[in-house]
């Protein structure tokens, strides 16, 4: 081992940027697309909605970003100051994993686990809290799947002295008790969802008192509560345009980091739940691809148990289970779809970001679905070679990267692979314990469940 | 808030080093001290021990470091390659905490939570595994208190394809189940201590079947097992000279980082359990102080429930509970002392590193003890301002830093404070939940327990 290892010396494992190099604008991909995404529709009238329709839920600062046609939007100074607590995030060259795989591929990971909440989510929770606070909002409500988003919003609210109330999907509330504690450390209040605090929650509990919950149900609860007070608004951790916009700082930094090592990715793979981590990493690269500067393959990776892109339909559907949100044209499994309780709670969402769905329909990105046992095996191999224990969500991205690295070996190609390691798995260790003990399996192909849930999609 | 926050812009929150700037030597403070520390003694003969006496427990590479009189020791290339996965670690300027405290002090923290195991411990677990592997050792045994050291050794063994068996103090095994899972992710086997696998464990269980355990007991168990096989050795996560030596990379990096911002600490505070985090940060600064280049106050901070420096005696005592280790001259509460189950499990040790004890006796460093409720309050304030949730151990250091910052405010002085944020608290969140729920209190002053335990100290 000695001589081989010594060869690694002299080459950085991490490509870092100084705080002074941190991008100061978010990138809005919409003006650069060959056609704009279809508009959201009012749930009652089925007419396109305007900014005013969203005002009960979101502050105008975010609504204007949601519908913006500007290519770049300045990041406010206060947001930059908070970003600096952990950004720029490192780009990691996974040399020890490459060695273990004996692959000629170069595997890079943009690591967002360095944030206080341990994922990419604070990139948007901080500006969301900021724009709300500027408009006098005192409290934010939200849902959380794996707990990553709820933690991130709790952290952001602590920075702006705002209240934060979180509905955590019941399956995750059970699996990840430390997430609740983390949210409380930052001052938030946390409820398991479905709860008896809302009409939406009570309706689900009446049907199934042991419901494992879903992101769709938790969204209904948080939205319902936000509508009950003038100084309360709702915050969404993924799916919407402004959320993906905030996340583009990931890809902008990664472009600067690749320039430093004089490489560019041939393949970019990112895990997709609501699409914010994937969009954040990939959109700046897609801009360069659309401009003809680079030509990477860009691919979404979703869980086999919740395959909205690969098995869902591209239709107008609700973002939540109770049908309270606007109708959005997106890849959906049906808003009544309740995914099996896989450990990647952040990917258990029936729909896909309308913007990512649109870009997929345009043929600009690919998609594949991977089962959770292959993902955990990949996560474990990563932890044992590179040290970092990945969250269950990015193990999907790592599994896809390892597939690519093996294909490169097969082909004898020096392929450059980029993926997003969007969070650490410190609060998901029980899932790994279960995997090691052989207690985790892939769920059956969810075709029947999907067919049933698709009947809940409105016919326009 | 707006205008005040904007003033933070333009000043880095993190002082980073490139991997190319990482120190390539460890610093041995012993030759620079006015007199050498007293030698360890054989537990039977009470004569000074030589390298051969330690050979059943440690590889010769580490034993020679333990007794070295060289000022600098080269870090092997393979160890540097693994360090590069997370090092150099950031030096954080806690601007938002300073603002919350309204203090003129500058508060810097050297943050070791970026390592895979989440603490400073891999700085020594990696070279310890390396030197053992070079000499053909196949398996390492160890104890762990908070679980930080066990995790660190599990990670290191995974890097060198070695087996790892860990005895985790029972109180911590109960409080921190995720630590066991983390060790298993890296391939280790974990037992609660006292266990029925060893004579030492069985003896304790016979007296108290519900013993919460202690580091001293767990050390006895791990040492006993290491002595039973030729290719098995024992690894210690603190206390010994070679461990403190490996940790000096922390202070060496911090010196380079302070040079970048053209400041130097007026006060350095670090938490002490076995002394490795404190020694690692402070020894390079102490070298500069002894050379007359700087003049900081250097202070150990220990838990009020386990006050080895402030209330223990400086005497020869055993490092473990069963009396199997050499006798070391150190500040001790008596090797039979079992500390109350405070959450800072890594600080629950009856003794203090002989080297730190010696330096304290020489009057080169100070010490204070702080109760755990003040520490948790300080940790919570830190988390809500700076984002990072600290482990319970460094909340002692943060509490001391906040005391200093408040004193600076009182005095109207621009004091520069440095402390070690030696680990994150992601796996300690249940402790914070308990604190927030008002379920954590300081334990009574342990004078009676100390007096009783001091009777276990041998009279030479």
């Amino acid at each position: 081992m000695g001589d081989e290892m010594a060869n690694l010396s002299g080459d950085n494992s991490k490509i870092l940027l100084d705080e002074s190099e941190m991008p100061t604008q978010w990138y809005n991909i919409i003006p650069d697309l060959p056609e704009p995404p279809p508009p959201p529709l009012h749930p009652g009238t089925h007419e396109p909605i305007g900014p005013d329709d969203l005002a009960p839920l979101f502050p105008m600062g975010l609504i204007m970003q949601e519908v913006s046609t500007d290519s770049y939007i300045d990041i406010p100074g206060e947001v930059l100051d908070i970003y600096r607590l952990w950004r720029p995030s490192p780009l990691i060259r996974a040399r020890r994993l490459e060695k273990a795989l004996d692959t000629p591929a170069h595997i890079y990971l943009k690591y967002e686990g360095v944030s206080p909440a341990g994922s990419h989510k604070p990139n948007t929770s901080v500006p969301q809290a900021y724009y709300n606070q500027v408009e006098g909002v005192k409290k934010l409500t939200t849902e959380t799947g794996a707990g990553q988003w709820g933690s991130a919003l709790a952290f952001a609210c602590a920075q702006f002295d705002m209240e934060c109330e979180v509905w955590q999907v019941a399956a995750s509330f059970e699996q990840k008790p430390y997430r609740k504690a983390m949210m409380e450390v930052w001052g938030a209040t946390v409820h398991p969802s479905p709860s008896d605090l809302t009409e939406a929650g009570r309706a689900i509990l009446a049907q199934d008192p042991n419901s494992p919950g879903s992101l769709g149900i938790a969204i209904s609860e948080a939205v319902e509560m936000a509508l009950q007070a003038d100084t309360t608004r709702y915050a969404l951790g993924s799916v919407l345009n402004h959320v993906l916009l905030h996340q583009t700082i990931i890809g902008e930094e990664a472009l600067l980091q690749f320039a430093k090592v004089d490489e560019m990715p041939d393949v970019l793979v990112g895990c997709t739940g609501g699409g914010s981590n994937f969009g954040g990493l990939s959109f700046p690269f897609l801009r360069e691809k659309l401009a003809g500067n680079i030509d990477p393959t860009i691919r979404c990776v979703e869980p086999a148990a919740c395959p909205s892109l690969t098995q869902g339909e591209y239709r107008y559907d609700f973002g939540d289970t109770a049908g309270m949100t606007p109708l959005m044209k997106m890849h959906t499994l049906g808003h009544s779809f309740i995914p099996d309780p896989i450990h990647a709670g952040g990917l258990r969402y029936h729909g896909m970001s309308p913007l990512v769905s649109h870009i997929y329909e345009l043929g600009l990105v690919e998609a594949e679905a991977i089962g959770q046992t292959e993902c955990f095996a990949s996560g474990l191999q990563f932890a044992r070679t590179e040290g970092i224990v990945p969250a269950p969500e990015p193990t999907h991205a790592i599994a896809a990267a390892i597939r690519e690295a093996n294909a490169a070996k097969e082909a004898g190609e020096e392929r450059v692979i980029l993926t997003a390691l969007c969070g650490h798995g410190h609060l998901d260790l029980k899932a790994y314990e279960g995997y090691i003990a052989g207690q985790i399996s892939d769920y059956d192909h969810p075709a029947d469940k999907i067919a049933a849930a698709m009947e809940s999609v409105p016919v326009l």
Side-chain angles (χ1 to χ4, degrees), chain A:
Chain A
M1 186 180 245
D3 287 338
E4 292 168 19
M5 285 305 197
N7 292 340
L8 297 178
S9 302
D11 294 309
N12 274 20
S13 294
K14 307 176 294 299
I15 298 101
L16 303 178
L17 299 174
D18 187 76
E19 290 176 30
S20 62
E21 298 173 284
M22 191 167 75
T24 58
Q25 295 186 312
W26 294 303
Y27 168 58
N28 178 16
I29 197 171
I30 294 173
D32 288 338
L33 293 176
E35 51 186 276
L41 305 181
H42 190 282
T45 66
H46 297 185
E47 293 298 314
I49 57 168
D52 288 348
D53 294 309
L54 294 171
L57 282 182
F58 302 111
M60 204 45 71
L62 293 174
I63 293 170
M64 296 320 289
Q65 291 181 355
E66 187 67 21
V67 298
S68 174
T69 54
D70 295 336
S71 290
Y72 294 93
I73 292 175
D74 287 343
I75 305 175
E78 288 187 46
V79 173
L80 288 172
D81 284 335
I82 300 174
Y83 277 179
R84 275 192 198 100
L85 292 177
W86 72 94
R87 303 208 71 85
S89 71
L91 180 70
I92 293 171
R93 170 85 186 273
R95 295 178 187 277
R96 300 178 85 82
L97 175 63
E98 291 169 15
K99 188 153 199 67
L101 295 171
D102 188 26
T103 176
H106 295 189
I107 304 175
Y108 289 92
L109 301 100
K110 180 69 169 161
Y111 183 41
E112 294 291 311
V114 292
S115 81
S119 78
H120 64 297
K121 297 290 186 184
N123 296 333
T124 184
S125 70
V126 171
Q128 288 194 45
Y130 167 79
Y131 287 110
N132 273 286
Q133 179 248 10
V134 163
E135 296 184 26
V137 174
K138 304 293 184 203
K139 176 175 171 176
L140 291 174
T141 67
T142 199
E143 76 292 336
T144 194
Q148 295 274 19
W149 169 242
S151 307
L153 194 67
F155 158 70
C157 286
Q159 295 296 319
F160 293 103
D161 272 331
M162 298 169 75
E163 278 185 79
C164 182
E165 194 168 5
V166 182
W167 276 262
Q168 182 173 9
V169 175
S172 159
F173 191 86
E174 294 301 320
Q175 284 170 350
K176 298 172 186 179
Y178 280 41
R179 277 286 166 195
K180 170 173 175 281
M182 182 177 250
M183 291 184 254
E184 289 174 350
V185 162
W186 286 316
T189 306
V190 189
H191 315 288
S193 168
S195 75
D196 59 6
L197 299 167
T198 66
E199 279 185 39
R202 287 190 292 268
I204 298 287
L205 288 173
Q207 290 167 33
D208 178 5
N210 299 313
S211 167
S214 70
L215 278 171
I217 296 169
I219 292 172
S220 294
E221 295 203 89
V223 165
E224 185 180 325
M225 290 301 278
L227 294 174
Q228 289 176 14
D230 261 2
T231 56
T232 300
R233 291 288 181 282
Y234 166 72
L236 189 64
S238 190
V239 176
L240 299 179
N241 297 345
H242 70 269
V243 179
L244 275 60
L245 172 81
H246 299 154
Q247 294 293 356
T248 57
I249 191 165
I250 302 174
E252 294 290 11
E253 285 181 3
L255 278 169
L256 298 175
Q257 287 163 314
F258 271 105
K260 291 205 177 208
V261 291
D262 204 20
E263 292 211 297
M264 254 321 143
D266 299 306
V267 188
L268 189 163
V269 288
C271 64
T272 48
S276 75
N277 157 63
F278 174 81
L281 178 66
S282 68
F283 287 176
F285 286 88
L286 192 49
R287 173 189 64 215
E288 301 304 314
K289 180 171 178 165
L290 289 166
N293 298 326
I294 56 176
D295 191 27
T297 298
I298 302 180
R299 188 180 305 129
C300 304
V301 188
E302 57 187 14
C306 194
S308 56
L309 284 170
T310 56
Q311 292 192 48
E313 292 180 38
Y314 186 53
R315 288 178 50 184
Y316 271 102
D317 196 5
F318 294 105
D320 70 326
T321 301
M324 300 170 72
T325 69
L327 288 160
M328 297 178 289
K329 193 158 187 188
M330 61 182 179
H331 278 262
T332 180
L333 299 165
H335 64 270
S336 70
F337 184 80
I338 297 183
D340 290 316
I342 56 169
H343 287 275
L347 308 183
R348 292 180 69 241
Y349 184 59
H350 69 273
M352 176 51 59
S353 152
L355 189 49
V356 171
S357 297
H358 175 62
I359 287 170
Y360 180 64
E361 284 298 308
L362 291 172
L364 300 176
V365 301
E366 306 175 352
E368 70 181 324
I370 305 185
Q372 76 170 346
T373 53
E374 178 180 343
C375 296
F376 273 108
S378 301
L380 205 65
Q381 182 170 29
F382 187 82
R384 290 183 179 177
T385 50
E386 294 290 322
I388 298 168
V389 182
E393 291 81 3
T395 63
H396 291 74
I398 292 170
I402 289 176
R403 284 182 177 188
E404 279 292 330
N406 288 335
K409 180 183 178 182
E410 199 87 5
E413 273 179 31
E414 197 185 87
R415 207 171 290 179
V416 178
I417 302 164
L418 168 62
T419 192
L421 180 46
C422 59
H424 63 63
H426 298 165
L427 306 191
D428 308 288
L429 282 160
K430 282 284 169 192
Y432 280 93
E433 200 172 38
Y435 171 71
I436 291 167
Q439 292 160 351
I440 285 179
S441 57
D442 291 323
Y443 290 93
D444 288 340
H445 221 52
D448 290 353
K449 275 175 74 171
I450 295 170
M454 285 306 295
E455 293 182 18
S456 69
V457 181
V459 180
L460 302 193

